[in-house]
Amino acid sequence: MHKHRNKRRLRIQLTFVYTLMGLAVLSILTILVLVIQGYRYNRFDGKVEQGGLVQFNSRPTGATVTVDDETLANKTASKVTLTAGTHTVTMARDGYSTWKKDVLVKPGTVLWLNYARLFPNSPKVATAANFEGVATALPSPNHRLMAVVPKSTEPEITLASLNDDTPQITKVAVPASAYTAPAEGQAQAFALEQWDKNNNLLLVRHTYGDKTEYLSLDIRDGKARNITTELGVAATQIAYSLGDSNVLYAVTTAHELRRLSLSSATVSGPLAADVDSMAINEERVIVYTTLPDSEGTRTVGYVTQGNGKAKTLASYKSLGSGALRVATGSYYGEHYVAVLHGETLDIMRGNLPSSDSMDKITLTKVAGLTIAGGSDYIGFSPGNNRMVYAARGSKILTYDLELQTSATVALQSPLVRDVQWMDNYHVFGTGEAGYYYDYDGTNGQLFASNTIDQPAVMSENEKYIYYFTTTANGIALQRVKLVND
């Protein structure tokens, strides 16, 4: 009898212990899950609140991070869970300017503050090349080269390497056999239009008298092809495809969108009619706008790479003198379309099926922004396409697809060309002085004085910013070092 009572007591004790252990494990797992989801105990009000994870990084790394008035233990790169709400974040490192921003932390989200660029307090400046003048300049897409036409009337292009500690300067001339010589007494001019996706070909616009032709110059061997005369296409606009450097798209003087093949020396039939302008923002899609029809209606449409007909995206009536512009981009596998019509910028998300197919286009409006006076340029930030932008004068409006917020960058001087992106998160302003700004207009940084309004570029290795400045003898391509030794 006594033996049975002991066994029963033991079973009860074991059951109790196992139950406690199970509850303890379950409690620990629950707490861990809550911690992972950003829940914290607020000692000020005694409540458990859900915060958000914030990831910090800076260039250069090793910056001290301060949130509100509290300095974090770890330097960049680092992370911390913060309570929901607005916080003031600073990143500072000896010898560099301080980065500071007010940010909104949302419950259960991750906020990436991994783009802070700290500028040296005493930057090193050097001259890469000197010119009597600069007609046009164009950095390569990979930020390894700067191409310069010093004198518009001369077919000579200077190339400066951007990654080297000692920049290498080379010259390549457009062969005389590749362009049409102007008649006696006529003027001519050469201008850089675009690099191809492989950073080997330069599209050069040559004007002579009242005529224009486009040349494709290979910087590797100096050979050039006259696209206009070889293919018999008179065009107001030509651009390399982003999918194949042997393929270009053109808006002809007859307002037709056509595909040009350099490899086969062929021209497609009209892909779209009454075309006013086109834009190629990504490899697969070519977008365009049309002229007003008899009722004043204008459309935006697209053609997918290799297809023979276009699809209409949207139509707009009664724009009058208002602008119509379109751009596309992909952000984390989702396709976005931005359309500026008059003073409204619509941002839509959805699918863009093959333009030859009968599949239906489905677009959902993400945002509608009003831009007083309209915009001269729209597009997506490079790399991840996270930012949609619209620019006019000295103002750049940006819309963050991730945070779904808009902001304005106020430049020191009006834009004379499309927005120059330093990287995925920063824009350049080059006028009488050189600045860069965070995409939302904060942390403006002066990096050069006495600049001229030609493109600036950060080298591929992120060690230098190159820019053009006036000197006593002409124009210099200078660079400022972003990282202290």
Side-chain angles (χ1 to χ4, degrees):
M1 180 75 69
H2 181 71
K3 186 175 182 180
H4 289 302
R5 282 199 302 269
N6 288 341
K7 285 183 178 181
R8 185 169 58 187
R9 186 182 299 113
L10 180 60
R11 284 197 297 269
I12 293 172
Q13 290 174 344
L14 289 174
T15 300
F16 179 73
V17 170
Y18 289 147
T19 300
L20 284 179
M21 291 176 61
L23 291 173
V25 170
L26 182 60
S27 299
I28 292 171
L29 288 175
T30 300
I31 292 171
L32 288 174
V33 170
L34 291 174
V35 169
I36 291 172
Q37 292 180 344
Y39 285 92
R40 295 291 188 274
Y41 175 73
N42 190 328
R43 67 180 185 274
F44 297 107
D45 58 17
K47 296 180 180 179
V48 175
E49 300 174 343
Q50 186 180 26
L53 179 66
V54 183
Q55 300 269 7
F56 305 97
N57 205 355
S58 63
R59 290 171 177 77
T61 58
T64 299
V65 180
T66 301
V67 179
D68 300 325
D69 295 322
E70 183 176 350
T71 299
L72 305 186
N74 295 326
K75 297 182 178 182
T76 58
S78 57
K79 59 185 177 181
V80 69
T81 299
L82 299 178
T83 57
T86 301
H87 297 274
T88 299
V89 176
T90 61
M91 300 188 209
R93 177 173 165 160
D94 289 343
Y96 293 85
S97 61
T98 297
W99 184 93
K100 185 176 182 180
K101 183 173 294 189
D102 291 333
V103 299
L104 177 63
V105 178
K106 296 181 180 180
T109 63
V110 178
L111 178 63
W112 293 88
L113 299 178
N114 59 345
Y115 52 85
R117 285 201 176 273
L118 312 181
F119 191 76
N121 291 332
S122 300
K124 294 183 178 180
V125 178
T127 297
N130 288 294
F131 305 94
E132 290 185 11
V134 174
T136 57
L138 197 62
S140 62
N142 61 8
H143 294 192
R144 294 179 187 174
L145 292 170
M146 176 71 83
V148 181
V149 174
K151 192 174 182 180
S152 64
T153 56
E154 300 295 331
E156 185 176 84
I157 298 170
T158 300
L159 299 170
S161 64
L162 304 180
N163 278 343
D164 300 325
D165 290 334
T166 301
Q168 303 300 307
I169 306 299
T170 58
K171 295 182 179 181
V172 59
V174 180
S177 58
Y179 60 89
T180 304
E184 186 175 352
Q186 284 187 336
Q188 70 171 354
F190 296 87
L192 301 174
E193 289 282 296
Q194 182 193 7
W195 285 86
D196 80 314
K197 70 182 185 71
N198 294 320
N199 310 277
N200 295 323
L201 303 178
L202 274 169
L203 185 65
V204 180
R205 185 179 74 251
H206 176 232
T207 57
Y208 56 103
D210 60 354
K211 297 181 180 179
T212 300
E213 60 188 3
Y214 291 86
L215 319 171
S216 180
L217 173 68
D218 193 325
I219 65 169
R220 295 167 296 183
D221 56 16
K223 294 180 179 180
R225 299 180 65 175
N226 190 317
I227 301 167
T228 301
T229 59
E230 278 191 39
L231 302 184
V233 176
T236 59
Q237 186 183 2
I238 289 183
Y240 289 115
S241 162
L242 298 185
D244 183 348
S245 298
N246 283 309
V247 174
L248 301 96
Y249 286 83
V251 177
T252 70
T253 53
H255 300 292
E256 295 172 337
L257 178 62
R258 291 178 180 260
R259 181 172 53 251
L260 317 178
S261 173
L262 291 178
S263 55
S264 62
T266 58
V267 180
S268 75
L271 306 175
D274 299 321
V275 175
D276 182 35
S277 66
M278 68 167 178
I280 306 177
N281 309 112
E282 52 185 330
E283 179 176 324
R284 176 177 166 266
V285 180
I286 300 89
V287 289
Y288 64 89
T289 65
T290 68
L291 298 165
D293 63 14
S294 59
E295 297 180 350
T297 299
R298 301 181 65 187
T299 65
V300 293
Y302 72 96
V303 175
T304 45
Q305 180 74 36
N307 289 164
K309 62 180 181 180
K311 275 185 179 292
T312 297
L313 282 167
S315 297
Y316 302 91
K317 196 171 183 179
S318 303
L319 286 178
S321 60
L324 180 62
R325 310 187 192 283
V326 59
T328 61
S330 294
Y331 180 60
Y332 277 96
E334 293 193 281
H335 213 92
Y336 289 84
V337 178
V339 179
L340 176 85
H341 50 104
E343 295 187 334
T344 301
L345 177 66
D346 288 331
I347 302 171
M348 297 164 283
R349 180 179 59 237
N351 74 317
L352 293 182
S354 169
S355 59
D356 272 356
S357 75
M358 299 298 292
D359 295 342
K360 186 179 179 181
I361 301 171
T362 56
L363 293 174
T364 302
K365 189 172 178 178
V366 173
L369 306 173
T370 300
I371 304 174
S375 179
D376 296 323
Y377 311 98
I378 70 168
F380 288 76
S381 58
N384 60 12
N385 293 161
R386 174 171 163 174
M387 312 297 166
V388 180
Y389 69 86
R392 180 183 177 88
S394 60
K395 299 292 181 66
I396 306 172
L397 181 143
T398 60
Y399 182 83
D400 187 338
L401 295 174
E402 178 72 22
L403 301 180
Q404 299 180 359
T405 56
S406 61
T408 299
V409 181
L411 303 177
Q412 302 296 313
S413 303
L415 291 166
V416 298
R417 63 180 55 80
D418 201 352
V419 175
Q420 303 173 71
W421 286 87
M422 179 178 177
D423 53 23
N424 297 352
Y425 295 93
H426 299 83
V427 296
F428 279 125
T430 54
E432 296 179 356
Y435 287 83
Y436 67 80
Y437 306 82
D438 286 3
Y439 69 91
D440 56 3
T442 60
N443 294 297
Q445 177 63 58
L446 173 69
F447 63 82
S449 301
N450 300 319
T451 56
I452 65 171
D453 213 344
Q454 291 288 350
V457 62
M458 181 176 65
S459 60
E460 182 192 40
N461 58 15
E462 301 188 3
K463 290 176 65 175
Y464 308 102
I465 292 177
Y466 285 81
Y467 55 92
F468 293 90
T469 184
T470 55
T471 68
N473 298 317
I475 303 297
L477 174 61
Q478 289 189 331
R479 71 180 188 187
V480 58
K481 196 170 184 181
L482 292 174
V483 180
N484 292 329
D485 294 327

